[in-house]
Amino acid sequence: MELIQETPDLSAYLTPDEVIDHEHPVVRRTAARIAGQAEDSYAYARLAFEFVRDAIPHSQDSGDLRVTWRASDVLESGTGTCYAKSHALAALLRAEDIPTALCYQKFDVVHGLVAVRFNGAWHRQDPRGNKPGVDAQFSLDGERLAFPVDPESNELDYPVLYAKPHPAVLSALTGATDRPHLWQMLPTAL
């Protein structure tokens, strides 16, 4: 699949905003801690991915009812859905000047992930969190996502790379009072 930038301006994928708030002190401290263990930007990206995947449980898996959506809140609260965890990973990567986009897949509902830009190409990564039957890995040599799509079941990979969260995703996250409420509001398509 060919990934398509929503905007040709690569700097848009480095910009902070209300959601991907990589200038926030919590994000900066976390990024600095991870960067202290990395010998280069590739290692940093892998370590940041593994941190978000492993150290921040997916709220469905952990039973946490809170809905987080801002990257700093995800890092501070230590919980989030696929969307929220993608926002946190995007913020950590952008904090170290690694262009990062938000991207999505469609299953019964829309699933969120990120794409990082290395060596002139975008590489999708899924920080959702592993569990039995799910084994997402950081990879620049072929995708190792949590969920492969099945086109025969009307599942699909959306090719657009967004600089900001899709409005349907952000509306669901900010409008939900708790995770069960969010589950009722999840977008089924973009």
Side-chain angles (χ1 to χ4, degrees), residues 3-182:
L3 298 173
I4 303 163
Q5 287 181 210
E6 175 188 31
T7 174
D9 182 4
L10 197 58
S11 69
Y13 300 97
L14 291 166
T15 304
D17 61 30
E18 180 185 17
V19 178
I20 303 171
D21 57 344
H22 63 74
E23 294 177 339
H24 190 282
V26 169
V27 178
R28 301 307 290 179
R29 279 194 306 272
T30 305
R33 189 174 71 248
I34 295 168
Q37 304 168 26
E39 64 273 3
D40 58 26
S41 61
Y42 301 103
Y44 175 84
R46 181 183 51 77
L47 290 170
F49 168 85
E50 290 171 352
F51 172 78
V52 173
R53 182 195 66 192
D54 300 342
I56 300 172
H58 189 287
S59 58
Q60 174 71 23
D61 297 346
S62 68
D64 197 315
L65 299 180
R66 296 175 291 173
V67 175
T68 55
W69 53 271
R70 185 177 289 115
S72 57
D73 292 340
V74 174
L75 295 174
E76 218 164 33
S77 300
T79 190
T81 62
C82 61
Y83 309 126
K85 291 179 65 153
S86 293
H87 300 164
L89 179 56
L92 290 172
L93 294 171
R94 289 182 185 186
E96 291 295 313
D97 295 321
I98 298 170
T100 308
L102 299 169
C103 47
Y104 303 94
Q105 296 175 301
K106 180 195 178 301
F107 298 102
D108 291 335
V109 295
V110 174
H111 174 64
L113 32 122
V114 303
V116 296
R117 188 162 177 90
F118 279 112
N119 300 325
W122 290 98
H123 307 273
R124 293 189 311 164
Q125 313 295 328
D126 191 343
R128 181 233 179 266
N130 289 339
K131 62 181 186 173
V134 176
D135 185 28
Q137 300 295 324
F138 183 83
S139 176
L140 301 179
D141 300 316
E143 294 184 336
R144 301 277 311 274
L145 305 178
F147 308 111
V149 299
D150 177 10
E152 291 181 14
S153 299
N154 293 321
E155 297 173 351
L156 61 95
D157 289 308
Y158 288 107
V160 177
L161 300 173
Y162 296 92
K164 296 180 179 185
H166 190 280
V169 168
L170 191 55
S171 176
L173 288 169
T174 58
T177 55
D178 59 19
R179 190 176 34 78
H181 185 219
L182 174 64

